[in-house]
Amino acid sequence: TQLLEQSPQFLSIQEGENLTVYCNSSSVFSSLQWYRQEPGEGPVLLVTVVTGGEVKKLKRLTFQFGDARKDSSLHITAAQPGDTGLYLCAGAQEGGGNKLTFGTGTQLKVEL
Amino acid sequence: DTGVSQNPRHKITKRGQNVTFRCDPISEHNRLYWYRQTLGQGPEFLTYFQNEAQLEKSRLLSDRFSAERPKGSFSTLEIQRTEQGDSAMYLCASSLVGPVEQYFGPGTRLTVT
């Protein structure tokens, strides 16, 4: 069973601070997706990375896929209260119908 | 709105009862996935369909669980003889064949008392 471990599990920071969330596995993934989830709602797709070493930016969010396609990171610059939520990484492997294996999640709280 | 929809949003049932959930995917999406998420955890894969064919089922999907997608459009997930351990958020997602992006519905929160 492939596992995706996320760290940290919880993060509470002040508005304006920077943060990085890590997603690590011993397995290779053909693609990796990042989602954000609000309480009582489904996950909302933020980004998909498919190439080793790929970096994608979404406003203040920067996503990177590791060279070996086993790990990924999410960096948020100048966090805002609206960034509060559960961040989930999810990997797909070739030949598996693109079913996703999700990480354990990082609960982020950004306070004023 | 043409996103993924799920009904009901919340379901409270007594242990031993049967429940059925419905998922309506994005209209042109061939693939439909079911996941289960318990409190404090990431979603776990249950099963997926490509058109009307159910192509894979997780070991998590016991004999009490059955899923259908009869015309390759909406899907239903039925749980028979519910147990307290079935309490969770049941999520549906859809995608096209090929692209990896999956789009999730709002989920059905099941509480078994």
Side-chain angles (χ1 to χ4, degrees):
Chain A
T1 304
Q2 54 271 19
L3 295 174
L4 274 170
E5 295 188 5
Q6 285 185 236
S7 61
Q9 191 175 357
F10 299 98
L11 195 52
S12 181
I13 61 172
Q14 298 295 309
E15 183 181 19
E17 293 184 19
N18 302 334
L19 67 117
T20 302
V21 176
Y22 299 94
C23 175
N24 295 295
S25 176
S26 58
S27 300
V28 175
F29 292 97
S30 58
S31 67
L32 197 134
Q33 302 179 38
W34 284 92
Y35 291 85
R36 184 169 71 202
Q37 186 176 26
E38 304 288 341
E41 299 294 329
V44 174
L45 180 65
L46 296 174
V47 78
T48 299
V49 286
V50 296
T51 304
E54 182 176 6
V55 177
K56 280 191 174 179
K57 292 191 175 184
L58 183 67
K59 297 183 180 179
R60 295 176 293 99
L61 279 61
T62 302
F63 304 86
Q64 184 163 9
F65 202 12
D67 291 341
R69 293 184 292 148
K70 293 182 179 181
D71 55 85
S72 181
S73 63
L74 157 61
H75 182 79
I76 301 178
T77 302
Q80 299 177 358
D83 296 327
T84 294
L86 178 67
Y87 289 82
L88 294 159
C89 64
Q93 294 189 314
E94 290 183 10
N98 286 337
K99 66 177 185 288
L100 296 175
T101 298
F102 277 85
T104 46
T106 295
Q107 184 65 55
L108 172 65
K109 183 176 182 180
V110 183
E111 298 181 285
L112 291 169
Chain B
D1 182 30
T2 56
V4 178
S5 62
Q6 291 186 246
N7 288 289
R9 292 292 312 275
H10 304 276
K11 179 71 177 179
I12 300 174
T13 191
K14 293 185 178 180
R15 187 164 50 113
Q17 298 295 304
N18 299 343
V19 294
T20 300
F21 311 139
R22 176 177 170 129
C23 171
D24 288 89
I26 294 171
S27 59
E28 65 268 26
H29 284 186
N30 325 76
R31 283 186 176 165
L32 187 149
Y33 304 81
W34 285 98
Y35 294 84
R36 180 171 69 187
Q37 184 177 26
T38 53
L39 207 58
Q41 302 294 320
E44 294 176 292
F45 169 78
L46 292 178
T47 187
Y48 90 96
F49 295 83
Q50 183 164 313
N51 300 313
E52 64 275 10
Q54 187 174 18
L55 296 186
E56 186 171 347
K57 293 192 290 186
S58 162
R59 289 175 294 129
L60 292 174
L61 215 62
S62 76
D63 291 344
R64 296 184 297 106
F65 288 70
S66 63
E68 294 182 342
R69 196 183 182 198
K71 298 183 179 179
S73 56
F74 72 92
S75 175
T76 58
L77 177 68
E78 181 184 15
I79 308 174
Q80 296 183 327
R81 304 180 303 281
T82 52
E83 302 173 356
Q84 286 188 320
D86 297 331
S87 295
M89 174 79 91
Y90 289 84
L91 294 163
C92 174
S94 70
S95 75
L96 294 168
V97 175
V100 298
E101 287 81 3
Q102 291 183 26
Y103 298 90
F104 282 80
T108 295
R109 166 73 65 189
L110 172 67
T111 303
V112 182
T113 62

